[in-house]
Amino acid sequence: MSGNITFTIIKPGAVAHEHIGDILKMISEAGFWTAAMKYVKLSPGQASYFYDVHRGKPFFDGLVDFMTSGPILVAILERENAVEAYRKLIGNTDPAKAEPGTIRKLFAESIQRNAVHGSDSDINARKEADFFFSKSERFDRHGNFLELVP
Ligand code: UDP
Ligand code: MG
C-alpha cells in the first residue's frame, strides 16, 4: 500500500536542542516535499487525543507531559510511498534499536523523547494532517493547493 503524504512532528526535545534544521535537511534529502509546516504548543487535551490509541498504557501520562512541555513543529510531507519511506527514515521507536543514520538514532534522547513522530498508515496520515492543517495551508511542489486523495 502506498500513499502520497505522511505527517510528522518534531517533538519538544528535538526543538529545544535545535535539531530542526538538521532533521528538515534529512527529510528533504530523502525526497520529501514539505507541503505544510508550523509551530504549535499542544494542550493536554490535544496531546491525549492525538495519542488516544495509547491511552491506558504505562507510558501514556509521561508521553502527554512530554508532548505538552514545549513547542513542536508539525508538518505534512509528500513523496511516493510516504508513510513507509518516512518510517524507514526515522527508525525504530526505541533509539537503542534504531538503524544507524536514522533520525531517531541521531537525535532521540530516549524511547519517550525520540525526536520525531511519523504516521503509521495512510489513513492516520490523512487524519493527523487534517487535525493540524486546513486545506488552504498545504501546497504541492508547484505552489498549488495540495489535493489529498481520497
Ligand atoms: N513511547 C514511550 N514509551 C514506550 C513506547 C512509546 O514513551 O514504551 C512514546 C514514544 O514517544 C513514541 C510514542 O509513545 O514515539 C508513540 O508510541 P508508538 O508505539 O506509536 O511509536 P511510534 O509510532 O512513534 O514509533
Ligand atoms: Mg505510532
Side-chain angles (χ1 to χ4, degrees), residues 35-84:
M37 179 165 64
K38 65 184 169 190
Y39 264 138
V40 295
K41 189 160 188 286
L42 296 178
S43 68
Q46 287 173 316
S48 301
Y49 177 77
F50 186 82
Y51 281 119
D52 194 55
V53 65
H54 297 302
R55 207 182 282 269
K57 294 183 184 169
F59 62 82
F60 183 76
D61 289 349
L63 176 62
V64 170
D65 281 351
F66 167 54
M67 290 302 292
T68 57
S69 66
I72 58 174
L73 189 127
V74 295
I76 299 173
L77 307 177
E78 186 193 19
R79 207 204 92 149
E80 191 185 327
N81 197 23
V83 167
E84 194 187 334

Side-chain angles (χ1 to χ4, degrees), residues 3-21:
N4 65 329
I5 64 141
T6 190
F7 172 82
T8 188
I9 297 177
I10 301 183
K11 297 186 180 185
V15 172
H17 289 102
E18 300 187 29
H19 294 316
I20 288 176

